[in-house]
Every structure is written in structure tokens, then in C-alpha cells.
Amino acid sequence: MAAGVATWLPFARAAAVGWLPLAKKTMPKPPVDNSSRSDEILYVNVSGVRFQTWKNTLDRYPDTLLGSSEKEFFYNEDTQEYFFDRDPEMFRHILNFYRTGKLHYPRHECIQAFDEELAFYGIVPEIIGDCCMEEYRDRKKENQERLAEDTEANEANDAPLPPHSTSRERLWRAFENPHTSTMALVFYYVTGFFIAVSVIANVVETVPCQPPKGMVKDLPCGVKYQLAFFCMDTACVLIFTFEYLMRLFAAPSRCKFMRSVMSVIDVVAIMPYYIGLVMPENEDVSGAFVTLRVFRVFRIFKFSRHSQGLRILGYTLKSCASELGFLLFSLTMAIIIFATVMFYAEKGTKGSTFTSIPASFWYTIVTMTTLGYGDMVPNTIAGKIFGSICSLSGVLVIALPVPVIVSNFSRIYHQNQRADKMRAQQKVRLARIRMAKKGTANAFLQYKEDHTLGDRDSDSTALCVKNRSAFEHQHNHLLHCLEKTTNHEFTDEMTYSELCMTESVGFRTSRSTSLSSQQGAQNNSTGCCPRRARRRAAMRLANSTVSVSRGSVQELDTLQFKTTSIPPQTRSSLNAQPDDLKLNCGDQDFTAAIISIPTPPANTPDESLPPSPTPVPGILRNTRATAYTHETVKISSL
Amino acid sequence: MTMVCHRPEGLEQLEAQTNFSKQELQILYRGFKNECPSGVVNEETFKHIYAQFFPHGDASMYAHYLFNAFDTTNNGSIKFKDFVVGLSILLRGTLREKLEWTFHLYDINRDGYINREEMTEIVRAIYDMMGKYTYPALKGDVPQQHVDAFFQKMDKNKDGVVTMEEFIVACQEDENMMRSMQLFENVM
């Protein structure tokens, strides 16, 4: 909780006197606060620079190094001060955090150094104030990207193959990353060479060559040396087909591979050849066949596998597609307007080339892009006037959107990034707040458990409660008082919904159904409280079979201790549970300065629980083992 | 825009008016000043603080009534003096003073009587702080029942209102409450 809140806690506790006349039950005993009430000045020596502060200031954040008992490790008896061998410049900011409650990021410092200092002093970076948060995040991201690039570059070159990889995986890896083996490299260069050969052949076969003997007209080389070109084409296509089939075989996900852009390009590049093989030498069809040959030029796109630059260009075009679309749209509007105007202006003239509005499109485009071929010119005065307006506006229409697009693109890109960042941050913040709320709720419920069990065994509870801060104790006591006032207890959402369900089941349940609901409740695999609720519910149902007359709400404390009335089958399980809990309490609380939040374990053994009572104790012990892999989250402030 | 800054009276005067020692006042003021540099607490801050203490439910109504109980001068803000005087009564006051303070908390309109509506408001505000997820679940009109029980106990002459004297007498008869009162003395 925030520092300020700690200051108000004594006030809130004092104000709890206002609940007393309403309370139906006696208030619980408050925790004993042995610390002296008087405040003292602490001396903190950081590499020679001496800082002084009130002890209370440091106590505001009990889950950091300086606020907890961890700082005692750094106490120097001789000089009566706390000595830290760390950077004094950074420490100034850290100490200001305690004083003002806001952590600022010094812009001239290295981000990693700052992070390390924060980690040392146990402060979570998330509490950096809004004023410095954006700067901090940007720097951190930059740093991470740079590191990621370096590692990626290293990895890409010499990451070892995972052991026991199949030949298929190795093949795929060779295709994706030619530098891994010499064979792959050879293949890479060979395909590159053949792509170049194929493209050059396509180009050269249209060049006019010397006509053979007996003919006058120049022939394109493709016709003169038809066989040669055909052989070359065949060879290239064979190589490409072989490559495509190998890639298809090696791909981890064939469907995904077939949908990818590169594979489509591959297919388009080789299809014309096969279609040409299949189709007969028919005059009618060969016209269409010729068009297909155009697609052979797509082979040049296969170079993009070999060139990083081409890929980046393609990605850039894809990402600013909307801006380009806008440019196109505005151009189209202008073209249509001017074409219409020119057409109607030139309509009357004899021999006018402006035969229709679509025909005028060509004029408009040529004029607006300032090409001016001169194949279509206006003859009327009106036509010339509008023609000049068209060319003047053409300059504007073409030139204006481009910088707008560039700046728009850059702005929208950054904006999107920021919006995504904000959304992610917002989500994280909300999740954190939720977790913190749950954390406080769970912390309180855990405290209550310890408290009730404490009457049994003072040693372990002493162990348990020792490491909780005074603030937490007092806060929990306050919540406990509220419970007693209203005679209702705090629970969490899970237990609440569970109990709603079990209450509707009814109190009069047979032995078997009580067990099955116990199993059913156990299948709700979440943190410690539902387990306690399961126990509670199970015991309540079990109890009810023995003494149904207990219709009214039971004090949970009394319920837990009624071991004698439980049928023998679950007695061992009950004996197991308090032990488990006590030990768990110990495990949990030795991570002294950390508020731990139990997270739902991914797979509890509960799921595979066979519906028989005897494995229950074993299962409960197992869940103890797995469920307490907490995610420890330090929460310094909300 | 000038910062409204309120300074409390001198340390000696406050020491005379309350039951705190100088050092305790110093500690209290340091914390207070850190939280509210302007020297006053307004209701929003109050509600915010209580929302953090009671995250399960909605503490705003109770914080409102509590704020009014502390704001003896009724000007919408609590100065350090009000704060410390209130705390002094709650922590170091005599039994009668504490009960009077509680009576003033319940008596929302300060007319000297607690009627059913006022009590219902207070009790509802307290139950709101519990939130939705409680055990046992809040079914039916639990606050109303609570109020009925309260009036049963406090309203001796059954005239529908509780006066200060009735309240104090009824509280003194309740042993549980008397014991609980002493528990809160070492909060500071």
C-alpha cells in the first residue's frame, strides 16, 4: 500500500471505536506492537556520502530493503550507521522515493544501472511516477531491442542444432538459414544463380537477333534459338520445382507454408511452364499462353528470399497501404473531375482525340504528373484553360499528399505504438491493481487462518507472524474488527460462489454426496483460500450429516476444531491439513519482505483425482507442494 | 492560484488541548504534513484513503460520515487541529468522551437524537465496506435487522429515537463493548 496510507492507519483504527456499539461480537485482540513509538533519525552511509532520515520514513515501504529488517544486515556497529557500498547518486533518488512517495528516473543515468539499483533496494520499477514513466519505458525498450538484436545476430549464425532433430527439421533449418551448413549455402547460391539465369533468359529471348539465312526480318532470339532457350527454361523450372517440393516436405506446417507469400510466388513462377507443356500448339490458345509467360517475370521476386532489403521494402509498402490508398483515391477524384471537364470542353471540336471520358483519363494523368506526351492536346480555348489548370493542380495534388503521407505515416506509426503501449500498460496496471486487491484480501484471509490456528500451537504461529510487518498486523486486525462488527466474514469470489452452490445443495446430504461435493470442490483448483473453503464446505457437509440441527451460521473457528464428530474416514485428512497449513505458513513467510500472491497452479493433481476417500490426504499434501510455487510479487504502492 | 496553506496552532497549545505528548504530536504532524502539504484534508482524500484500507467493498459512504464526525467546524475540510483533537478523544479520552464521539458519529444531522433512518444509513455504510463476497452471504435485509437489534438494545423508552443518555447508559451496560473499548487504546 502507498506510504501515505500507512500514516492514516492509526487514525482508521482509532475510528473503529465507532463500530463498537453496533458490534454483535467482541472485538479481537489487537496485535502487540513492541516497537518503540518514538521516532529516531537513522544514518545511512552510501559509499561515503552520509544520508540522514527518520526511521518512519523508511518504514513506509516495508517490503523494500530499507523498510524491512533486511537493512540490519548492513548495520555497522562501530559507526552506528547503515553502510551500503553502492552508488550515492542513485541512492539520492531512491531515498527521495521514500520521502515523497514518487520514484523519478534520472535521465542521464544508464537504464541498466538504474534497474540494478532498484533491484538491489527491492523497489519495483512499475511505481515510477507518470512524469518519468514514458522516458523510462522508452529507454528500456531501446536497450532491450539492442540486446535482442545482438543475441539474435549471434544466435542466427551459430546456434547449435537441437539434439535429436529429424532430417526434416534439419532440412527446414537449412532452407531458412543457409549459413548453417555448406550444403545449404551451396544450394542457396545455386538457386540464386538459376533465378538470375532464368530472368536474363526471359529478357534476352525478346531481343531481335540476326535473321537466319533466307529471311529478311529480324527475329527475336527466343524464336531463333528456340531449342536452347527451351532447354534453359526447362532446367530452371526443374530446379525451382525441386526446391519447392523440398521446402514443402520440410515445412513444419504445410498449410501455413502453402499460404505464405513466397510459396505463392514460387508456384506462380513455375506454373506457366507446366501449363505450356500441357497445352497444345494451338493458334487460338497460344494467345492466352503468351500472357501466361508474363508471369515468368515473377521469378524475380524469388530474389527476395536472398535479399533482406527487398523484404523490408515489401513490409514497408504493406504497412503504409492505407496512406497509399488515400493518395490513390484523391488522385482518382482529381482525374475524374478533370477528365470530365476536358471531355465536355473538347466535345465540339472536329477530330478531337478526347473521344470519351475514359479516353480523357489518359490526358489528365499525363498532364497532372507533368509528363506531357503530347499525344492528346486540347484545341478549344476552354480546353486549354482547363488543361493549364489541370497541370497546375497536378503539381499540387501529386506533391502535397506525399509529405503529408510521410509525416502521417510517421505520426500514425508512433501514435499506434504509444496507444498499444498505453493499452498494455493499462491492462498491466489494472491487472496489478486487481492482484493487489486480491492480495490484500488473501493476505487477510491467510492472517485469519494463522490467527485461529495460533491458539493450538504457539511456536509455529510465532514463526509465522514474526515476519509480517506491524502495518500488516494492524491492518488485518482492523479488517477483523469490521468482520466482528457485522458478524459476516470476508471471503473471495471463488469461495463465495462455491458456498452459494453448496448451500443450495442443502444441509441434509448423504455420506457419498458430501464426498463427491468435496471432490467437486477440490476440482476448483485455485489458491489457498478455496482449499480452505473446500475443507470448510466438506466439513460442514460432513458435520451436517452428524448433527443436522446446526442450522444457524457456524463460527468457523469452532467448526475447524470439531474433529471428534467427523467420521473416521476423513479424520486423517483433517489431521493432515492443519499440519500442512502450519508448514505452509512457514514456507510462505520466510520470504520476508515480499507479499506473496498464490497463483493458480497449472495442473493440480486434483484434476486426476479418483473419487475415493483414501487418497485424499495424499492429494492434499501434493497440492501443498505444487500450489505454493507462488509468483512472488512485490507491491510497494498501489 | 495561491496555495491554500493552513498552519496549525502552536505545539504547546495543541498539547494543552489534547492528551498527546509533544513528541507524539510531532510524529503525527510529520505524517499529516507529508500527506497533505496544504495542511487540510478534504473529503475526497478521506474516501480515497478508506478505499485503500477496505478494498473489498465501497467505503465512500462511511468515509463521508466519518469525515463529518471529524469536521467539527463543518467547513468541508479537516485541519490538523480537528484531526488531532478527534484522535485524542478516541485514543486517550475517557469512556464517556468516547461514547459521546460515537454518538456524534451516528447522529448525522446533529439534532441530538439518533433515529432509525440515521442508524440505517450508518449501518448500510458499514456493510457496504464488507463488499459482496462475504461468508455467510448477505441475504435479506441484514442491515435493517442489525438496526432493529440495535434499537431493541438502546431505545429504552421505545420512543423510536435514541438520546445521548440512553445511548451511554445502554453502552455501559454492555460488558463486551466495555472490554473492546479498552483494546483500542494502544493504537498510537
Side-chain angles (χ1 to χ4, degrees), chain A residues 123-140:
Chain A
I123 297 173
V124 198
E126 271 73 30
I127 46 163
I128 291 181
D130 284 334
C131 46
C132 297
M133 187 50 133
E134 203 176 320
E135 170 86 26
Y136 173 80
R137 279 202 188 270
D138 287 343
R139 291 274 291 267
K140 190 149 184 191

Side-chain angles (χ1 to χ4, degrees), chain A residues 1 5 18 22 60 475 489, chain B residues 34-35 52-53 106 135 146:
Chain A
M1 282 194 179
V5 186
L22 289 169
R60 281 198 201 128
H475 185 224
E489 293 195 2
Chain B
N34 211 40
E35 286 316 298
Q52 297 205 339
F53 279 132
Y106 296 158
Y135 172 76
H146 206 136

Side-chain angles (χ1 to χ4, degrees), chain A residues 216-291:
Chain A
V216 179
K217 206 168 55 149
D218 272 344
L219 278 178
C221 286
V223 177
K224 188 170 169 197
Y225 301 103
Q226 193 159 7
L227 194 59
F229 277 103
F230 181 73
C231 290
M232 218 182 301
D233 208 18
T234 314
C236 294
V237 168
L238 277 176
I239 300 266
F240 297 152
T241 319
F242 172 71
E243 184 204 350
Y244 180 71
L245 289 174
M246 295 269 56
R247 275 183 202 265
L248 190 62
F249 165 69
S253 153
R254 296 214 172 108
C255 295
K256 193 167 135 209
F257 173 71
M258 286 182 73
R259 278 201 301 257
S260 70
V261 176
M262 287 314 299
S263 115
V264 167
I265 290 177
D266 286 340
V267 170
V268 168
I270 59 181
M271 276 326 267
Y273 177 81
Y274 289 109
I275 294 178
L277 277 185
V278 168
M279 281 217 286
E281 282 290 341
N282 200 335
E283 280 303 315
D284 306 325
V285 193
S286 64
F289 173 60
V290 163
T291 4

Side-chain angles (χ1 to χ4, degrees), chain A residues 119-224:
Chain A
F120 179 79
Y121 290 107
I123 297 173
V124 198
E126 271 73 30
I127 46 163
I128 291 181
D130 284 334
C131 46
C132 297
M133 187 50 133
E134 203 176 320
E135 170 86 26
Y136 173 80
R137 279 202 188 270
D138 287 343
R139 291 274 291 267
K140 190 149 184 191
K141 208 168 110 169
E142 223 182 277
N143 200 34
Q144 275 175 348
E145 279 171 0
R146 204 176 310 134
L147 286 176
E149 269 171 26
D150 290 342
T151 49
E152 227 182 73
N154 288 339
E155 259 177 37
N157 284 336
D158 46 36
L161 273 172
H164 317 300
S165 56
T166 66
S167 62
R168 185 172 153 190
E169 282 172 15
R170 265 180 286 155
L171 193 62
W172 178 249
R173 219 163 154 269
F175 273 127
E176 290 299 298
N177 202 350
H179 303 282
T180 45
S181 71
T182 27
M183 265 307 289
L185 207 58
V186 162
F187 189 71
Y188 175 77
Y189 282 125
V190 161
T191 40
F193 173 72
F194 271 98
I195 295 173
V197 160
S198 163
V199 168
I200 291 173
N202 285 346
V203 167
V204 165
E205 73 182 8
T206 58
V207 172
C209 280
Q210 287 289 344
K213 300 240 176 0
M215 292 191 74
V216 179
K217 206 168 55 149
D218 272 344
L219 278 178
C221 286
V223 177
K224 188 170 169 197

Side-chain angles (χ1 to χ4, degrees), chain A residues 61 90 93-94 97 100-107 109-119 123-140 425 429 432 634 636-638:
Chain A
Y61 296 99
M90 300 277 209
H93 298 285
I94 307 256
F97 163 62
T100 60
K102 288 204 262 293
L103 180 63
H104 294 280
Y105 167 59
R107 281 168 171 74
E109 296 285 356
C110 168
I111 185 83
Q112 260 191 315
F114 187 68
D115 266 345
E116 278 169 15
E117 291 296 310
L118 286 186
I123 297 173
V124 198
E126 271 73 30
I127 46 163
I128 291 181
D130 284 334
C131 46
C132 297
M133 187 50 133
E134 203 176 320
E135 170 86 26
Y136 173 80
R137 279 202 188 270
D138 287 343
R139 291 274 291 267
K140 190 149 184 191
Q425 275 178 25
R429 217 169 270 177
R432 226 181 347 111
K634 294 188 210 179
S636 305
S637 69
L638 272 177

Side-chain angles (χ1 to χ4, degrees), chain B:
Chain B
M1 190 182 79
T2 51
M3 273 287 279
V4 174
C5 190
H6 188 88
R7 296 210 165 80
E9 310 166 0
L11 200 49
E12 285 82 15
Q13 281 155 302
L14 280 180
E15 200 189 358
Q17 285 168 2
T18 66
N19 301 331
F20 289 123
S21 71
K22 247 200 201 139
Q23 235 183 353
E24 288 172 331
L25 282 172
Q26 278 180 339
I27 296 176
L28 276 172
Y29 188 68
R30 279 205 295 271
F32 186 82
K33 179 82 177 174
N34 211 40
E35 286 316 298
C36 315
S38 58
V40 292
V41 193
N42 54 12
E43 200 170 321
E44 275 315 303
T45 323
F46 224 71
K47 289 187 176 173
H48 178 66
I49 290 166
Y50 258 75
Q52 297 205 339
F53 279 132
F54 299 99
H56 311 262
D58 177 23
S60 54
M61 279 320 292
Y62 185 72
H64 169 74
Y65 295 129
L66 198 61
F67 185 85
N68 286 340
F70 268 87
D71 184 15
T72 44
T73 49
N74 269 333
N75 57 358
S77 63
I78 300 181
K79 298 184 279 297
F80 183 63
K81 175 166 166 230
D82 304 327
F83 177 70
V84 119
V85 161
L87 262 188
S88 162
I89 294 177
L90 287 172
L91 296 176
R92 306 281 163 90
T94 65
L95 193 64
R96 194 180 170 94
E97 284 175 348
K98 288 184 194 173
L99 289 174
E100 278 176 5
W101 188 91
T102 314
F103 186 85
H104 284 305
L105 172 66
Y106 296 158
D107 183 13
I108 300 176
N109 57 3
R110 303 294 166 95
D111 62 354
Y113 300 103
I114 305 178
N115 54 17
R116 266 184 191 268
E117 287 76 29
E118 289 172 336
M119 207 55 223
T120 316
E121 292 275 317
I122 297 273
V123 170
R124 270 195 212 286
I126 292 180
Y127 272 89
D128 281 344
M129 282 199 289
M130 289 292 292
K132 201 172 109 171
Y133 303 117
T134 60
Y135 172 76
L138 289 164
K139 287 204 182 83
D141 199 0
V142 177
Q144 195 60 45
Q145 294 165 7
H146 206 136
V147 170
D148 293 336
F150 177 81
F151 264 83
Q152 188 90 7
K153 197 167 81 166
M154 298 281 165
D155 190 9
K156 299 289 182 201
N157 57 2
K158 307 291 172 206
D159 58 354
V161 295
V162 179
T163 63
M164 174 84 83
E165 284 310 313
E166 283 179 337
F167 183 74
I168 292 182
V169 164
C171 286
Q172 279 171 335
E173 285 170 4
D174 185 349
E175 284 191 9
N176 272 343
M177 197 193 314
M178 290 299 110
R179 241 177 297 145
S180 305
M181 281 267 182
Q182 287 157 355
L183 289 177
F184 283 90
E185 278 180 2
N186 59 346
V187 163
M188 252 296 289

